Amino acid sequence: MGKEIKMIQLIRGFKDILPGEVELWQQIEKTARSLLEDFGFKEIRIPIMERTELFARSIGEDTDIVEKEMYTFPDRKGDLITLRPEATASVCRSYIQHKLYATDPVRKFYTIGPMFRRERPQKGRYRQFYQINAEIFGVDSPLADVELIFILVTLFSKLSVSDVNAHINSLGCPECRPMFKTALSDFLTSLNENLCSDCVRRKDRNPLRVVDCKVPACRAAMTDAPSIPDYLCPTCDQHFETTQKALSALNVPFVVDKGLVRGLDYYTRTTFEIQTSALGAQNAIAGGGRYDGLIKALGGPDIPATGFAIGLDRLTEIAGSNSTDLVKTPDIFIAALGEKGGSLAFEWNCALCLEGVKAEMEFGDKSLKSQMKRAHRLGAKHVLIVGDNEIKEGKVILRDMDTKDQVLIPIEDVMENIKLKLSVSNIKRE
């Protein structure tokens, strides 16, 4: 007996997106692309690997992402590279490197693709996960933040995602945030026994991280903590007030959530999450905010920016469309018998596909009964039967799989005849 070959399994925390479910992903991506492009966003495609320094400088060395979750390794030259844990830093790097601000600093970009974080896998959260990201560069007006929130709410409405609410907050700016940090640090001095070990370490280096901690004990301990909106400078306060007024004018429901902070260092002023009860405890389906200092911190000019990220894995769980309704089935299956029939069928199959008709056929030498079963299994709407007898008589059989009706079609001009019959049939179905 030969040695048994062990089956290779998926890496833990990764997943395959199979036919039958990928159609829903495609539908969501198509809807998002169309909406974003209607609002003037252009697609940008960024690499999945970057120099580790990019994320350490942008996200923050004290964050869980950089400290614990990044897939970082040396390449053959010893340089540290990282699989991207988020997209914003990479889009900023591209904006700076290619001097996209030179002709016009105001740019709108979107990107769709995988991100990588080595965190504990759970429902809706994977180590390779997918995001839809949008970024606006060169606009310091709060209306840019409002536009992003409006796009998100509109997208989820188009995807039949119910019970959606925007949670918003302001994180202040470098002028007013130090006052808040001082108040927060004073509050945290007496909480050592109630905080997790990470927060005990962080409270002196970066107390804002404690506010963002997801450990239940830490969240409970922070109930009476100072809130950032109480310490905003006049400029940030006005910025936040304008954001709320513009959202109300657009009839976008929102909640001012004083405990909402973002887990990345680069956020300033407006921050937001889109939440829905359809996800249970993991209720955030998208989030983002303003990061006015990031481009300068990465070596570019002092240009303001704002953006969002949508968790595509979570979105597919609650989008209103049913994957099975989106699966495309063949318009026609060509059942061929004999060598001549098989040859003709293959020519017609290729020609029909080029004409936009979804056609399938059996490449092997199978009985008519077997081919009809496969046509049914594929969900083909029609079957075209061609064999030696049909070729001899100059006519092939077209069978409607729903009504079971059959008609004879002359082989001469068979392509035009098939397309005509299929179009008439589709009109009747509609």
Side-chain angles (χ1 to χ4, degrees):
M1 294 180 62
K3 185 178 179 181
E4 183 178 354
I5 299 175
K6 184 179 179 181
M7 182 175 65
I8 299 172
Q9 299 276 356
L10 269 172
I11 300 171
R12 184 169 183 262
F14 291 70
K15 69 172 182 177
D16 297 315
I17 304 169
L18 303 175
E21 57 181 332
V22 76
E23 289 81 5
L24 177 56
W25 289 68
Q26 292 170 340
Q27 178 69 16
I28 291 172
E29 291 168 10
K30 180 181 178 181
T31 305
R33 287 178 192 276
S34 176
L35 180 62
L36 286 164
E37 289 177 5
D38 285 345
F39 275 82
F41 288 77
K42 307 294 184 184
E43 184 177 10
I44 184 171
R45 300 194 181 189
I46 48 178
I48 64 168
M49 289 194 299
E50 299 272 8
R51 296 183 186 277
T52 302
E53 181 187 7
L54 174 66
F55 303 114
R57 285 170 59 184
S58 60
I59 297 172
E61 294 186 3
D62 294 335
T63 60
D64 280 347
I65 296 173
V66 173
E67 288 181 342
K68 302 177 180 179
E69 298 171 1
M70 293 201 315
Y71 282 96
T72 297
F73 48 90
D75 65 9
R76 292 187 175 183
K77 291 185 177 181
D79 297 325
L80 285 180
I81 57 176
T82 296
L83 293 175
R84 64 186 186 198
E86 57 96 41
T88 298
S90 293
V91 177
C92 287
R93 190 266 313 146
S94 182
Y95 178 77
I96 296 166
Q97 181 175 343
H98 299 290
K99 293 184 173 58
L100 299 178
Y101 52 81
T103 53
D104 183 0
V106 179
R107 296 296 184 100
K108 293 181 173 182
F109 298 116
Y110 76 89
T111 187
I112 302 174
M115 313 295 157
F116 304 85
R117 296 184 192 175
R118 198 185 188 286
E119 51 187 344
R120 184 172 64 85
Q122 53 185 291
K123 182 176 173 60
R125 179 175 289 181
Y126 301 90
R127 291 175 175 176
Q128 176 176 317
F129 58 99
Y130 293 81
Q131 286 186 344
I132 301 171
N133 289 77
E135 321 288 346
I136 300 177
F137 295 133
V139 181
D140 59 8
S141 167
L143 297 184
D145 309 328
V146 174
E147 181 178 84
L148 290 171
I149 296 170
F150 181 71
I151 289 171
L152 286 171
V153 172
T154 303
L155 174 62
F156 297 144
S157 175
K158 287 178 176 288
L159 296 173
S160 301
V161 177
S162 60
D163 191 24
V164 168
N165 279 297
H167 285 235
I168 65 171
N169 195 16
S170 177
L171 299 181
C173 68
E175 288 188 19
C176 55
R177 196 183 296 179
M179 292 184 291
F180 167 71
K181 283 189 174 182
T182 299
L184 182 60
S185 295
D186 292 343
F187 175 81
L188 293 174
T189 54
S190 61
L191 293 183
N192 275 11
E193 295 181 359
N194 303 100
L195 301 178
C196 69
S197 58
D198 284 337
C199 285
V200 169
R201 175 173 48 82
R202 289 176 186 148
K203 71 182 182 65
D204 296 322
R205 295 168 60 187
N206 195 340
L208 197 60
R209 295 276 169 240
V210 183
V211 181
D212 191 46
C213 183
K214 301 299 188 288
V215 175
C218 294
R219 296 184 78 85
M222 296 298 291
T223 303
D224 298 322
S227 62
I228 303 178
D230 294 334
Y231 293 84
L232 296 181
C233 65
T235 303
C236 288
D237 191 54
Q238 181 61 46
H239 190 282
F240 195 41
E241 186 69 24
T242 302
T243 300
Q244 295 175 65
K245 287 181 179 178
L247 286 171
S248 296
L250 291 173
N251 296 315
V252 174
F254 67 90
V255 174
V256 176
D257 186 346
K258 294 184 178 182
L260 176 64
V261 300
R262 305 305 299 165
L264 309 181
D265 272 357
Y266 52 62
Y267 283 108
T268 57
R269 290 188 175 169
T270 307
T271 184
F272 55 85
E273 278 187 356
I274 308 298
Q275 300 181 1
T276 172
S277 62
L279 281 167
Q282 297 288 342
N283 60 353
I285 193 172
R290 182 162 286 279
Y291 48 96
D292 289 340
L294 180 57
I295 294 173
K296 184 178 181 181
L298 292 175
D302 191 5
I303 291 177
T306 183
F308 68 64
I310 303 171
L312 195 45
D313 301 81
R314 290 183 181 178
L315 182 53
T316 58
E317 295 180 8
I318 59 173
S321 300
N322 191 322
S323 293
T324 56
D325 297 335
L326 300 172
V327 175
K328 295 178 176 63
T329 57
D331 296 311
I332 190 167
F333 183 94
I334 306 177
L337 300 170
E339 186 176 342
K340 291 182 179 179
S343 179
L344 269 179
F346 183 64
E347 292 177 21
W348 293 342
N349 187 85
C350 293
L352 286 167
C353 289
L354 286 177
E355 293 285 338
V357 177
K358 298 176 185 65
E360 288 281 354
M361 66 171 289
E362 181 65 67
F363 291 108
D365 186 16
K366 299 289 182 69
S367 68
L368 179 59
K369 182 178 180 180
S370 175
Q371 293 185 68
M372 293 299 288
K373 283 184 177 179
R374 183 157 189 262
H376 178 73
R377 199 160 55 243
L378 291 172
K381 301 177 183 69
H382 296 83
V383 173
L384 185 72
I385 303 171
V386 54
D388 291 341
N389 290 337
E390 286 74 26
I391 294 172
K392 184 177 180 180
E393 294 176 8
K395 295 180 179 180
V396 291
I397 301 169
L398 182 66
R399 178 181 176 88
D400 188 308
M401 294 293 280
D402 288 337
T403 66
K404 312 304 180 188
D405 293 337
Q406 295 187 168
V407 294
L408 294 175
I409 295 179
I411 289 180
E412 185 179 357
D413 298 326
V414 68
M415 291 289 296
E416 294 305 317
N417 280 309
I418 289 174
K419 287 191 290 182
L420 178 62
K421 292 288 184 183
L422 293 184
S423 64
V424 170
S425 179
N426 288 334
I427 290 172
K428 288 181 179 179
R429 282 190 171 88
E430 293 172 359

Short mmCIF file of all heavy atoms in Angstrom, two decimals, residues 379-426:
data_model
loop_
_atom_site.label_atom_id
_atom_site.label_comp_id
_atom_site.label_asym_id
_atom_site.label_seq_id
_atom_site.Cartn_x
_atom_site.Cartn_y
_atom_site.Cartn_z
N GLY A 379 -29.18 24.31 -13.91
CA GLY A 379 -30.25 25.30 -13.96
C GLY A 379 -30.41 25.95 -15.32
O GLY A 379 -30.90 27.08 -15.43
N ALA A 380 -29.99 25.24 -16.38
CA ALA A 380 -30.08 25.79 -17.73
C ALA A 380 -31.54 26.03 -18.11
O ALA A 380 -32.42 25.21 -17.82
CB ALA A 380 -29.44 24.84 -18.74
N LYS A 381 -31.79 27.16 -18.76
CA LYS A 381 -33.17 27.51 -19.13
C LYS A 381 -33.61 26.76 -20.39
O LYS A 381 -34.80 26.47 -20.56
CB LYS A 381 -33.26 29.01 -19.38
CG LYS A 381 -32.88 29.86 -18.16
CD LYS A 381 -32.92 31.34 -18.50
CE LYS A 381 -32.47 32.19 -17.32
NZ LYS A 381 -31.02 32.05 -17.02
N HIS A 382 -32.66 26.45 -21.25
CA HIS A 382 -32.97 25.73 -22.50
C HIS A 382 -31.89 24.68 -22.77
O HIS A 382 -30.75 24.82 -22.30
CB HIS A 382 -33.03 26.68 -23.70
CG HIS A 382 -34.13 27.69 -23.62
ND1 HIS A 382 -34.00 28.87 -22.91
CD2 HIS A 382 -35.39 27.70 -24.15
CE1 HIS A 382 -35.13 29.56 -23.01
NE2 HIS A 382 -35.98 28.88 -23.75
N VAL A 383 -32.27 23.68 -23.55
CA VAL A 383 -31.30 22.69 -24.02
C VAL A 383 -31.43 22.58 -25.53
O VAL A 383 -32.54 22.47 -26.07
CB VAL A 383 -31.54 21.30 -23.38
CG1 VAL A 383 -30.63 20.26 -24.03
CG2 VAL A 383 -31.30 21.35 -21.88
N LEU A 384 -30.29 22.66 -26.20
CA LEU A 384 -30.24 22.47 -27.65
C LEU A 384 -29.68 21.08 -27.91
O LEU A 384 -28.58 20.76 -27.45
CB LEU A 384 -29.34 23.53 -28.29
CG LEU A 384 -29.28 23.53 -29.82
CD1 LEU A 384 -30.59 24.04 -30.41
CD2 LEU A 384 -28.12 24.39 -30.32
N ILE A 385 -30.42 20.26 -28.62
CA ILE A 385 -30.00 18.87 -28.86
C ILE A 385 -29.56 18.74 -30.31
O ILE A 385 -30.31 19.05 -31.25
CB ILE A 385 -31.16 17.89 -28.57
CG1 ILE A 385 -31.64 18.06 -27.12
CG2 ILE A 385 -30.72 16.45 -28.83
CD1 ILE A 385 -32.91 17.30 -26.79
N VAL A 386 -28.32 18.27 -30.49
CA VAL A 386 -27.79 18.10 -31.83
C VAL A 386 -27.04 16.77 -31.91
O VAL A 386 -26.15 16.49 -31.11
CB VAL A 386 -26.87 19.28 -32.24
CG1 VAL A 386 -25.77 19.51 -31.20
CG2 VAL A 386 -26.26 19.06 -33.62
N GLY A 387 -27.47 15.92 -32.87
CA GLY A 387 -26.84 14.62 -33.10
C GLY A 387 -26.83 14.30 -34.58
O GLY A 387 -27.21 15.15 -35.42
N ASP A 388 -26.45 13.08 -34.91
CA ASP A 388 -26.36 12.71 -36.33
C ASP A 388 -27.70 12.85 -37.02
O ASP A 388 -27.78 13.30 -38.18
CB ASP A 388 -25.85 11.27 -36.45
CG ASP A 388 -24.38 11.15 -36.04
OD1 ASP A 388 -23.69 12.20 -36.02
OD2 ASP A 388 -23.93 10.04 -35.74
N ASN A 389 -28.80 12.42 -36.37
CA ASN A 389 -30.13 12.50 -36.99
C ASN A 389 -30.52 13.95 -37.26
O ASN A 389 -31.05 14.29 -38.33
CB ASN A 389 -31.19 11.86 -36.09
CG ASN A 389 -31.04 10.35 -36.03
OD1 ASN A 389 -30.46 9.74 -36.93
ND2 ASN A 389 -31.56 9.76 -34.96
N GLU A 390 -30.25 14.83 -36.29
CA GLU A 390 -30.59 16.24 -36.45
C GLU A 390 -29.78 16.88 -37.57
O GLU A 390 -30.31 17.67 -38.37
CB GLU A 390 -30.35 17.00 -35.13
CG GLU A 390 -31.35 16.73 -34.01
CD GLU A 390 -31.17 15.37 -33.37
OE1 GLU A 390 -30.04 14.85 -33.42
OE2 GLU A 390 -32.16 14.83 -32.85
N ILE A 391 -28.50 16.50 -37.64
CA ILE A 391 -27.64 17.04 -38.70
C ILE A 391 -28.13 16.58 -40.07
O ILE A 391 -28.18 17.37 -41.03
CB ILE A 391 -26.18 16.62 -38.47
CG1 ILE A 391 -25.64 17.28 -37.19
CG2 ILE A 391 -25.31 17.00 -39.66
CD1 ILE A 391 -24.27 16.79 -36.76
N LYS A 392 -28.53 15.32 -40.15
CA LYS A 392 -29.01 14.76 -41.42
C LYS A 392 -30.27 15.48 -41.88
O LYS A 392 -30.46 15.76 -43.07
CB LYS A 392 -29.27 13.28 -41.23
CG LYS A 392 -29.68 12.56 -42.50
CD LYS A 392 -29.85 11.06 -42.25
CE LYS A 392 -30.25 10.34 -43.52
NZ LYS A 392 -30.43 8.88 -43.28
N GLU A 393 -31.17 15.79 -40.92
CA GLU A 393 -32.44 16.43 -41.27
C GLU A 393 -32.29 17.95 -41.39
O GLU A 393 -33.24 18.63 -41.81
CB GLU A 393 -33.50 16.09 -40.23
CG GLU A 393 -33.85 14.60 -40.22
CD GLU A 393 -34.84 14.25 -39.11
OE1 GLU A 393 -35.34 15.21 -38.46
OE2 GLU A 393 -35.10 13.07 -38.90
N GLY A 394 -31.14 18.48 -40.96
CA GLY A 394 -30.91 19.92 -41.08
C GLY A 394 -31.62 20.74 -40.03
O GLY A 394 -31.76 21.96 -40.18
N LYS A 395 -32.07 20.10 -38.95
CA LYS A 395 -32.79 20.81 -37.89
C LYS A 395 -32.36 20.28 -36.52
O LYS A 395 -32.15 19.08 -36.37
CB LYS A 395 -34.30 20.66 -38.04
CG LYS A 395 -34.86 21.31 -39.30
CD LYS A 395 -36.37 21.13 -39.39
CE LYS A 395 -36.92 21.80 -40.65
NZ LYS A 395 -38.40 21.62 -40.76
N VAL A 396 -32.22 21.18 -35.55
CA VAL A 396 -31.87 20.78 -34.19
C VAL A 396 -33.06 21.07 -33.28
O VAL A 396 -33.96 21.84 -33.63
CB VAL A 396 -30.62 21.51 -33.68
CG1 VAL A 396 -29.39 21.04 -34.44
CG2 VAL A 396 -30.78 23.02 -33.81
N ILE A 397 -33.06 20.43 -32.11
CA ILE A 397 -34.18 20.56 -31.17
C ILE A 397 -33.83 21.54 -30.06
O ILE A 397 -32.79 21.40 -29.41
CB ILE A 397 -34.52 19.18 -30.55
CG1 ILE A 397 -34.89 18.18 -31.65
CG2 ILE A 397 -35.66 19.31 -29.53
CD1 ILE A 397 -34.98 16.74 -31.16
N LEU A 398 -34.71 22.52 -29.84
CA LEU A 398 -34.54 23.45 -28.73
C LEU A 398 -35.66 23.18 -27.72
O LEU A 398 -36.84 23.31 -28.03
CB LEU A 398 -34.61 24.90 -29.21
CG LEU A 398 -34.41 25.96 -28.11
CD1 LEU A 398 -32.99 25.89 -27.55
CD2 LEU A 398 -34.70 27.36 -28.65
N ARG A 399 -35.24 22.82 -26.49
CA ARG A 399 -36.21 22.44 -25.45
C ARG A 399 -36.22 23.48 -24.34
O ARG A 399 -35.16 23.87 -23.81
CB ARG A 399 -35.84 21.07 -24.88
CG ARG A 399 -36.75 20.56 -23.75
CD ARG A 399 -36.25 19.21 -23.27
NE ARG A 399 -37.01 18.71 -22.13
CZ ARG A 399 -38.12 17.99 -22.21
NH1 ARG A 399 -38.61 17.68 -23.40
NH2 ARG A 399 -38.73 17.56 -21.12
N ASP A 400 -37.42 23.97 -23.99
CA ASP A 400 -37.61 24.87 -22.86
C ASP A 400 -37.69 24.01 -21.60
O ASP A 400 -38.61 23.19 -21.46
CB ASP A 400 -38.88 25.70 -23.03
CG ASP A 400 -39.01 26.79 -21.97
OD1 ASP A 400 -38.91 26.44 -20.77
OD2 ASP A 400 -39.24 27.95 -22.33
N MET A 401 -36.75 24.19 -20.67
CA MET A 401 -36.68 23.30 -19.51
C MET A 401 -37.80 23.56 -18.50
O MET A 401 -38.08 22.71 -17.65
CB MET A 401 -35.32 23.45 -18.83
CG MET A 401 -34.16 22.97 -19.70
SD MET A 401 -34.20 21.19 -19.96
CE MET A 401 -33.50 20.60 -18.41
N ASP A 402 -38.44 24.74 -18.57
CA ASP A 402 -39.56 25.02 -17.66
C ASP A 402 -40.86 24.46 -18.19
O ASP A 402 -41.58 23.75 -17.49
CB ASP A 402 -39.69 26.53 -17.44
CG ASP A 402 -38.58 27.09 -16.57
OD1 ASP A 402 -37.98 26.31 -15.79
OD2 ASP A 402 -38.29 28.30 -16.67
N THR A 403 -41.17 24.77 -19.43
CA THR A 403 -42.46 24.36 -20.01
C THR A 403 -42.40 22.97 -20.65
O THR A 403 -43.44 22.39 -20.93
CB THR A 403 -42.91 25.37 -21.07
OG1 THR A 403 -41.98 25.34 -22.18
CG2 THR A 403 -42.96 26.78 -20.49
N LYS A 404 -41.18 22.48 -20.91
CA LYS A 404 -40.95 21.20 -21.60
C LYS A 404 -41.32 21.26 -23.08
O LYS A 404 -41.30 20.24 -23.77
CB LYS A 404 -41.70 20.04 -20.94
CG LYS A 404 -41.55 19.95 -19.42
CD LYS A 404 -40.12 19.86 -18.99
CE LYS A 404 -40.01 19.79 -17.46
NZ LYS A 404 -38.61 19.88 -16.98
N ASP A 405 -41.66 22.46 -23.58
CA ASP A 405 -41.97 22.60 -25.00
C ASP A 405 -40.70 22.45 -25.83
O ASP A 405 -39.62 22.86 -25.42
CB ASP A 405 -42.58 23.98 -25.27
CG ASP A 405 -43.95 24.15 -24.63
OD1 ASP A 405 -44.60 23.12 -24.37
OD2 ASP A 405 -44.36 25.30 -24.38
N GLN A 406 -40.85 21.86 -27.02
CA GLN A 406 -39.72 21.67 -27.94
C GLN A 406 -40.08 22.23 -29.31
O GLN A 406 -41.22 22.11 -29.76
CB GLN A 406 -39.37 20.19 -28.08
CG GLN A 406 -38.85 19.57 -26.80
CD GLN A 406 -38.33 18.16 -26.99
OE1 GLN A 406 -37.69 17.62 -26.10
NE2 GLN A 406 -38.59 17.54 -28.12
N VAL A 407 -39.10 22.88 -29.93
CA VAL A 407 -39.28 23.38 -31.29
C VAL A 407 -38.07 22.96 -32.12
O VAL A 407 -36.98 22.74 -31.59
CB VAL A 407 -39.42 24.92 -31.33
CG1 VAL A 407 -40.69 25.36 -30.63
CG2 VAL A 407 -38.21 25.60 -30.70
N LEU A 408 -38.29 22.85 -33.43
CA LEU A 408 -37.21 22.53 -34.35
C LEU A 408 -36.65 23.81 -34.93
O LEU A 408 -37.39 24.72 -35.32
CB LEU A 408 -37.72 21.62 -35.48
CG LEU A 408 -38.17 20.21 -35.07
CD1 LEU A 408 -38.78 19.47 -36.26
CD2 LEU A 408 -37.01 19.43 -34.49
N ILE A 409 -35.33 23.90 -34.98
CA ILE A 409 -34.65 25.09 -35.50
C ILE A 409 -33.75 24.66 -36.66
O ILE A 409 -32.94 23.74 -36.49
CB ILE A 409 -33.80 25.77 -34.41
CG1 ILE A 409 -34.70 26.32 -33.30
CG2 ILE A 409 -32.97 26.89 -34.99
CD1 ILE A 409 -33.93 26.97 -32.18
N PRO A 410 -33.87 25.30 -37.80
CA PRO A 410 -32.98 24.96 -38.91
C PRO A 410 -31.52 25.21 -38.55
O PRO A 410 -31.21 26.22 -37.91
CB PRO A 410 -33.44 25.89 -40.04
CG PRO A 410 -34.83 26.31 -39.65
CD PRO A 410 -34.85 26.34 -38.16
N ILE A 411 -30.66 24.30 -38.94
CA ILE A 411 -29.23 24.48 -38.66
C ILE A 411 -28.69 25.71 -39.39
O ILE A 411 -27.82 26.42 -38.88
CB ILE A 411 -28.45 23.22 -39.06
CG1 ILE A 411 -28.77 22.08 -38.08
CG2 ILE A 411 -26.93 23.48 -39.08
CD1 ILE A 411 -28.06 20.77 -38.39
N GLU A 412 -29.23 25.97 -40.57
CA GLU A 412 -28.84 27.17 -41.29
C GLU A 412 -29.26 28.40 -40.47
O GLU A 412 -30.40 28.50 -40.03
CB GLU A 412 -29.52 27.20 -42.67
CG GLU A 412 -29.07 28.36 -43.53
CD GLU A 412 -29.75 28.33 -44.90
OE1 GLU A 412 -30.50 27.38 -45.17
OE2 GLU A 412 -29.52 29.27 -45.68
N ASP A 413 -28.34 29.30 -40.22
CA ASP A 413 -28.60 30.49 -39.39
C ASP A 413 -29.03 30.11 -37.98
O ASP A 413 -29.87 30.78 -37.35
CB ASP A 413 -29.66 31.39 -40.02
CG ASP A 413 -29.23 31.91 -41.39
OD1 ASP A 413 -28.02 32.16 -41.57
OD2 ASP A 413 -30.10 32.07 -42.26
N VAL A 414 -28.44 29.01 -37.46
CA VAL A 414 -28.86 28.53 -36.14
C VAL A 414 -28.59 29.57 -35.04
O VAL A 414 -29.37 29.71 -34.10
CB VAL A 414 -28.16 27.19 -35.81
CG1 VAL A 414 -26.66 27.38 -35.60
CG2 VAL A 414 -28.78 26.56 -34.56
N MET A 415 -27.51 30.33 -35.18
CA MET A 415 -27.17 31.31 -34.15
C MET A 415 -28.26 32.36 -34.00
O MET A 415 -28.72 32.66 -32.88
CB MET A 415 -25.84 31.99 -34.48
CG MET A 415 -24.63 31.08 -34.36
SD MET A 415 -24.26 30.70 -32.64
CE MET A 415 -23.86 32.32 -32.04
N GLU A 416 -28.68 32.94 -35.11
CA GLU A 416 -29.70 33.98 -35.06
C GLU A 416 -31.02 33.42 -34.57
O GLU A 416 -31.75 34.06 -33.82
CB GLU A 416 -29.87 34.63 -36.44
CG GLU A 416 -28.65 35.40 -36.92
CD GLU A 416 -28.23 36.46 -35.91
OE1 GLU A 416 -29.11 37.16 -35.36
OE2 GLU A 416 -27.02 36.58 -35.65
N ASN A 417 -31.33 32.20 -34.99
CA ASN A 417 -32.58 31.56 -34.56
C ASN A 417 -32.59 31.32 -33.05
O ASN A 417 -33.60 31.54 -32.38
CB ASN A 417 -32.78 30.23 -35.30
CG ASN A 417 -33.32 30.44 -36.70
OD1 ASN A 417 -34.30 31.15 -36.89
ND2 ASN A 417 -32.68 29.84 -37.69
N ILE A 418 -31.45 30.85 -32.52
CA ILE A 418 -31.37 30.58 -31.08
C ILE A 418 -31.51 31.88 -30.30
O ILE A 418 -32.28 31.95 -29.33
CB ILE A 418 -30.04 29.89 -30.72
CG1 ILE A 418 -30.04 28.44 -31.25
CG2 ILE A 418 -29.82 29.90 -29.22
CD1 ILE A 418 -28.72 27.73 -31.06
N LYS A 419 -30.79 32.92 -30.69
CA LYS A 419 -30.86 34.19 -29.96
C LYS A 419 -32.27 34.76 -30.00
O LYS A 419 -32.75 35.32 -29.00
CB LYS A 419 -29.86 35.19 -30.56
CG LYS A 419 -28.41 34.86 -30.21
CD LYS A 419 -27.49 36.00 -30.58
CE LYS A 419 -27.35 36.14 -32.07
NZ LYS A 419 -26.40 37.23 -32.45
N LEU A 420 -32.97 34.62 -31.15
CA LEU A 420 -34.34 35.12 -31.26
C LEU A 420 -35.27 34.35 -30.32
O LEU A 420 -36.07 34.94 -29.60
CB LEU A 420 -34.81 34.99 -32.71
CG LEU A 420 -36.26 35.43 -32.97
CD1 LEU A 420 -36.42 36.91 -32.64
CD2 LEU A 420 -36.64 35.16 -34.44
N LYS A 421 -35.15 33.01 -30.33
CA LYS A 421 -35.99 32.18 -29.47
C LYS A 421 -35.75 32.48 -27.99
O LYS A 421 -36.68 32.57 -27.18
CB LYS A 421 -35.73 30.70 -29.75
CG LYS A 421 -36.19 30.21 -31.13
CD LYS A 421 -37.70 30.13 -31.20
CE LYS A 421 -38.15 29.54 -32.53
NZ LYS A 421 -39.63 29.51 -32.64
N LEU A 422 -34.47 32.67 -27.62
CA LEU A 422 -34.14 32.93 -26.23
C LEU A 422 -34.67 34.29 -25.78
O LEU A 422 -35.16 34.44 -24.66
CB LEU A 422 -32.63 32.87 -26.01
CG LEU A 422 -31.97 31.49 -26.17
CD1 LEU A 422 -30.48 31.58 -25.82
CD2 LEU A 422 -32.64 30.43 -25.31
N SER A 423 -34.57 35.31 -26.64
CA SER A 423 -35.05 36.64 -26.28
C SER A 423 -36.56 36.64 -26.10
O SER A 423 -37.08 37.26 -25.17
CB SER A 423 -34.63 37.67 -27.33
OG SER A 423 -35.24 37.37 -28.58
N VAL A 424 -37.28 35.95 -26.95
CA VAL A 424 -38.75 35.85 -26.83
C VAL A 424 -39.11 35.14 -25.53
O VAL A 424 -40.00 35.55 -24.80
CB VAL A 424 -39.36 35.12 -28.03
CG1 VAL A 424 -40.83 34.80 -27.79
CG2 VAL A 424 -39.20 35.94 -29.29
N SER A 425 -38.39 34.06 -25.23
CA SER A 425 -38.64 33.30 -24.02
C SER A 425 -38.39 34.13 -22.77
O SER A 425 -39.15 34.09 -21.79
CB SER A 425 -37.77 32.04 -23.99
OG SER A 425 -37.97 31.29 -22.81
N ASN A 426 -37.32 34.92 -22.78
CA ASN A 426 -36.99 35.77 -21.63
C ASN A 426 -38.04 36.84 -21.42
O ASN A 426 -38.38 37.18 -20.28
CB ASN A 426 -35.61 36.41 -21.80
CG ASN A 426 -34.47 35.41 -21.64
OD1 ASN A 426 -34.63 34.40 -20.97
ND2 ASN A 426 -33.35 35.68 -22.28
#
